[in-house]
Amino acid sequence: MKKIYIHSLLLLGIGLVLLGIWSLLNPALSLRTILFTIAIMLIFVGLNYIISYFQNKTWLLSRWVLFDGIVSLLFGILIILFPNVAEQFMVILFALWLLVTSIFHIFIAFALKRFKGWWLLLIFGILTGILALLSFVTNAVAAISAAVTLSFFFLFQGFVWISLWRVVRKLV
C-alpha cells in the first residue's frame, strides 16, 4: 500500500503540472470545464490524503494531512453538486480553498521537518498562500486572473506533490 501511495504522489504531481501548463496554454477554456476538472482533482486528492492517513499511520502522517484531505474532498463534492453556484463564486471559493490548503501544506512541511527536502513543501505552501491572497485581491478581474491563478496553482500543487513524493519515497 505504501508503494501505491508513493506512486500516486508522483502521478498526481505530474498530472497537476501538466494541467497547469495546459491551462496556461488554453485560457479560453469554459469555466464549467475548469470547475469540473478541479472538482475531480480535489476529490482524488482528498481521498488519497484520507486513505493515506489511515493506511499509513506507521509513517506518523500529520493530522493536517487528514484535514487537508477532508477539506479537498468536500470542496470537490460541493463543486460537482452546485456547479452554478461554484461558477458565480469560483474565485472566492477557490481563493479560500487555496488559503486553507497552503496553511495545511505549511503544517505538513513542518511535520516532515526531520526529512531532507521538507523545505520545498514549505516554499510551495507559502507560494500557494500568496496566490490565495492575490486571488482575493483580484476578484474584480476574475475572468483574467482566474485562468492564470488556476494555472499557477496547478503548477505549484504539482510541485508540492512531487516534492512530497521526493521526501516520502525515502521512507520505504
Side-chain angles (χ1 to χ4, degrees):
M1 188 51 115
K2 289 180 183 179
K3 289 207 182 257
I4 292 172
Y5 173 70
I6 291 169
H7 294 306
S8 69
L9 287 175
L10 181 60
L11 291 175
L12 279 170
I14 292 169
L16 285 168
V17 168
L18 292 174
L19 184 59
I21 293 168
W22 182 65
S23 295
L24 274 173
L25 297 175
N26 298 294
L29 290 173
S30 74
L31 188 54
R32 181 86 34 129
T33 303
I34 291 171
L35 284 171
F36 184 75
T37 304
I38 290 170
I40 297 301
M41 286 298 251
L42 288 174
I43 290 170
F44 187 65
V45 166
L47 288 173
N48 186 35
Y49 267 177
I50 293 167
I51 292 168
S52 298
Y53 175 81
F54 289 109
Q55 293 284 328
N56 300 309
K57 283 199 172 196
T58 57
W59 286 1
L60 300 174
L61 287 176
S62 169
R63 67 181 176 274
W64 296 109
V65 171
L66 176 62
F67 293 144
D68 190 9
I70 292 168
V71 169
S72 297
L73 180 65
L74 288 176
F75 269 95
I77 291 170
L78 286 173
I79 290 169
I80 287 177
L81 292 177
F82 306 104
N84 293 331
V85 174
E87 280 182 20
Q88 294 173 358
F89 297 103
M90 188 204 103
V91 174
I92 295 168
L93 291 174
F94 182 70
L96 179 63
W97 179 74
L98 261 179
L99 185 62
V100 170
T101 299
S102 70
I103 293 167
F104 289 150
H105 285 152
I106 291 168
F107 286 139
I108 291 167
F110 282 115
L112 295 172
K113 192 174 182 177
R114 63 186 171 153
F115 299 104
K116 186 178 180 179
W118 71 275
W119 56 272
L120 286 171
L121 293 170
L122 179 63
I123 289 171
F124 289 121
I126 292 168
L127 290 174
T128 303
I130 292 169
L131 277 176
L133 295 175
L134 288 174
S135 295
F136 282 119
V137 173
T138 60
N139 198 9
V141 288
I144 297 169
S145 65
V148 173
T149 302
L150 284 171
S151 299
F152 281 110
F153 165 73
F154 289 137
L155 288 171
F156 286 149
Q157 279 296 100
F159 291 129
V160 164
W161 282 89
I162 292 169
S163 298
L164 186 58
W165 167 76
R166 286 187 65 226
V167 172
V168 173
R169 71 186 166 121
K170 296 173 185 172
L171 298 174
V172 175

